[in-house]
Amino acid sequence: SSRHRKRRRTSSKSEAGARGGSQGSKEKGRGSGGGRHHHPLPATGFKKQQLKFQYGNYCKYYGYRNPSCEDMRLRVLKPEWFQGRDVLDLGCNVGHLTLSIACKWGPARMVGLDIDPRLIHSARQNIRHYLSEELRLQAQTSEGDPGTEGEEGTTTVRKRSCFPASLTASRGPIAAPHLPLDGADTSVFPNNVVFVTGNYVLDRDELVDAQRPEYDVVLCFSLTKWVHLNWGDEGLKRMFRRIYRHLRPGGILVLEPQPWSSYCRRKSLTETIYKNYFRIQLKPEQFSSYLTSPEVGFSSYELVATPSNTSRGFQRPVYLFHKARSPSH
């Protein structure tokens, strides 16, 4: 009967509530430290989509960071750090900062490195945006139709356009970088810049010890948090030691670390990141002490500036670390 069904539903609901209450108190007890793990994994689990950006490799990062297309960090960097130097940009993303430096300040060699091959592909495509105006004009107006004579004998020159304006607007510049010819000056943009896919964090300390000096400048902008979360304290320390050994005597490291407060928002991207987050002991405010310790070897450091940004989250200090000209190790 309907009355019987109603009683059963009420009874079932109350029983389920009693069971749920008892289980809820158990789970609560586990979460408060009664279980085996001090930091249980999140109840929601880890989404596969989050794996795509576990290294901070956001494909629209620069559009989000620099909505006006001007990177404010360029204002605190000095041209003399880069002119005629060999420069390595770690975690270059789609290469906007890398290309700006290579184009504006003439380093002898500019290498952009990122772990995501898709970002490196975009960075190589973005070289077109940084070619000189002269190259773009040559590509667009290199050929013209013969002139036609008007009614009064005047000649009107009509230039032939190979591509509609809508294509350039939607796909970007049509001009492609010229391949350097034999004997061409490779220190002139865009011949002085190259993008490479790779993970800068080595697997073992022995590989760090084998690193030889190659660069005068290493840039490490907004990368430390992602190395820290994915490879923990050991991975970050290994990266710092490799940077030191990668620099020639007298070289500099330009470092922009993320604050510890920003780590929490990304701790649930993957299980590895979640576990590393609770194991981290070397906090960002201790980086300068570690980098100038005998374990790494930088002789001194200074705060360059804290570039302004429309978003407070991107207002991060930029530090300059110096490697002595006669390194002790």
Side-chain angles (χ1 to χ4, degrees), residues 188-201:
V188 176
F189 185 82
N191 304 334
N192 63 344
V193 62
V194 63
F195 291 100
V196 182
T197 303
N199 181 6
Y200 194 76
V201 181

Side-chain angles (χ1 to χ4, degrees), residues 111-138:
V111 179
L113 178 73
D114 202 278
I115 197 171
D116 191 333
R118 294 166 301 178
L119 296 180
I120 291 298
H121 174 76
S122 297
R124 290 168 180 161
Q125 297 296 316
N126 282 338
I127 293 176
R128 296 177 303 161
H129 293 269
Y130 291 81
L131 288 173
S132 67
E133 189 66 19
E134 182 181 357
L135 281 178
R136 285 197 289 268
L137 289 174
Q138 286 177 359

